[in-house]
Amino acid sequence: LGPAACRSLDAVLADVLQPDAGPTDDAGTAWSAARRQLGDCPTPPAAACARGAALASRAPLLHGDAPPRELLATLCERCAPGNNPCGQAVTRALEQAARRERPDIQEARWSLEHAGATLGTACQELVRSALGPAAVSGPDVEPTLLALAEALSPTCVKTKQLPLPVLNAAAVQQGARAPWLATLFTDGTVETAPIEPDQSTGAGDGFRAFDQDALSGVKLPLESQGALRLGYAPALKHVASFQVRATGPGTLRAIIRAPDGVGRKDSQGAAFYVDPTVCRFRGTGGWEICKPVLPLLDVDAVSVLPERPGVELKELEIIGAR
């Protein structure tokens, strides 16, 4: 039954999707027959899987579990990742949001929840297309893309298909623009302490900001001249807060490793990272405390960028855990 049911499945679905095939669920109807045939087909062919969008349009979510929606759910459970209609629906929604179009967010969430074997791939696409851009310093991310990220991320977190360092970085970078992201990290507290960096690159001696001498300091180069970068080897597993003394305004960015294709590519082109802005300091000469909304995970380095020439970093504490 299996192979025969699969061979004719596309034709059966085409028949029930004809405009005059009503979505009733009486015994013996074409919909019931299609459901039985799909039940006998463990791996639907690509042509049958391609009927997913048509099934979704025949049964909007507000109609509940109508027969076309039930068929679509089964197709998504069984179709291979390359042909999976639910995985494709998630990707399509992310592409629409990136183009400033308005995808159906509820439909995208339903598709992700029913993505079956393609759930991991769909979550990777969410990270690449939405959370990665949301976790880097720079232009604002499209609000629709943020809304989609907030709607889809819980499913990926629940199934452990989402890298928490990128999630937390996006939550910190976006703040009030995507507050739901900050509710998804539920790990317990970690004992923290000030940790000096292992490396300092960029103009000046960055270690002078860690000598506990308020009279010494380091003149901060502008980003175009090569920002001061304070590196950790190995990366800090957890960064909770920052304390800064400076003589002018600037920002701190955390450099956090990311999966391939997510965020920015490093200068060697060998790895990817995200760089959320984790602190904005006014530089009054006194201590300023920055505590991000979530801890930062897997922090490779912290970059210090002045907002104007002549800013001097007097002291810096990076409080975290290895």
Side-chain angles (χ1 to χ4, degrees):
L1 265 182
C6 291
R7 283 196 297 271
S8 58
L9 179 60
D10 179 51
V12 171
L13 291 177
D15 285 343
V16 297
L17 286 167
Q18 293 296 323
D20 57 350
T24 60
D25 195 25
D26 298 329
T29 64
W31 287 105
S32 296
R35 187 166 61 245
R36 285 195 301 273
Q37 181 143 350
L38 178 56
D40 291 332
C41 177
T43 307
C49 295
R51 303 283 181 186
L55 288 168
S57 67
R58 287 295 297 271
L61 284 173
L62 56 86
H63 292 169
D65 290 331
R69 181 65 57 172
E70 292 177 351
L71 281 174
L72 176 58
T74 305
L75 271 182
C76 288
E77 289 172 6
R78 299 186 178 188
C79 287
N83 304 315
N84 193 286
C86 281
Q88 291 170 347
V90 173
T91 298
R92 192 161 52 247
L94 289 165
E95 291 171 347
Q96 289 173 333
R99 294 195 301 263
R100 301 185 180 183
E101 299 172 9
R102 290 191 171 275
D104 185 329
I105 291 180
Q106 286 187 318
E107 184 73 39
R109 183 193 289 119
W110 186 94
S111 296
L112 185 64
E113 291 170 349
H114 292 80
T118 196
L119 175 64
T121 302
C123 290
Q124 289 172 11
E125 186 61 28
L126 169 66
V127 174
R128 189 190 67 80
S129 299
L131 286 177
V136 299
S137 295
D140 286 344
V141 176
E142 289 298 323
T144 307
L145 197 58
L146 286 181
L148 199 54
E150 288 189 293
L152 301 184
S153 293
T155 297
C156 294
V157 170
K158 190 186 310 180
T159 55
K160 302 187 186 302
Q161 300 280 353
L162 196 154
L164 294 181
V166 177
L167 170 68
N168 285 20
V172 169
Q173 174 66 28
Q174 297 304 320
R177 298 183 74 237
W180 183 249
L181 293 179
T183 69
L184 301 178
F185 180 75
T186 57
D187 283 11
T189 57
V190 173
E191 187 173 339
T192 60
I195 303 178
E196 292 190 14
D198 301 307
Q199 305 144 355
S200 172
T201 57
D205 179 7
F207 290 108
R208 297 186 69 180
F210 296 87
D211 60 8
Q212 298 182 336
D213 182 354
L215 298 179
S216 69
V218 55
K219 288 282 180 65
L220 292 175
L222 297 174
E223 186 173 11
S224 60
Q225 301 167 333
L228 176 64
R229 178 181 168 121
L230 306 164
Y232 290 91
L236 293 183
K237 292 297 183 185
H238 187 108
V239 174
S241 62
F242 305 84
Q243 296 192 81
V244 189
R245 290 182 69 175
T247 62
T251 58
L252 304 180
R253 294 180 187 174
I255 310 300
I256 297 167
R257 62 187 70 179
D260 284 352
V262 175
R264 307 184 193 277
K265 188 178 286 190
D266 68 13
S267 56
Q268 286 77 39
F272 288 82
Y273 68 93
V274 293
D275 62 344
T277 297
V278 296
C279 180
R280 297 183 185 278
F281 54 88
R282 293 177 297 162
T284 61
W287 281 108
E288 299 176 57
I289 299 173
C290 291
K291 186 173 177 58
V293 64
L294 286 179
L296 301 152
L297 310 177
D298 291 350
V299 176
D300 278 333
V302 174
S303 291
V304 191
L305 298 102
E307 291 184 3
R308 57 170 173 77
V311 174
E312 187 174 7
L313 178 65
K314 290 294 190 179
E315 294 185 78
L316 175 62
E317 286 191 351
I318 299 170
I319 299 165
R322 288 194 181 273

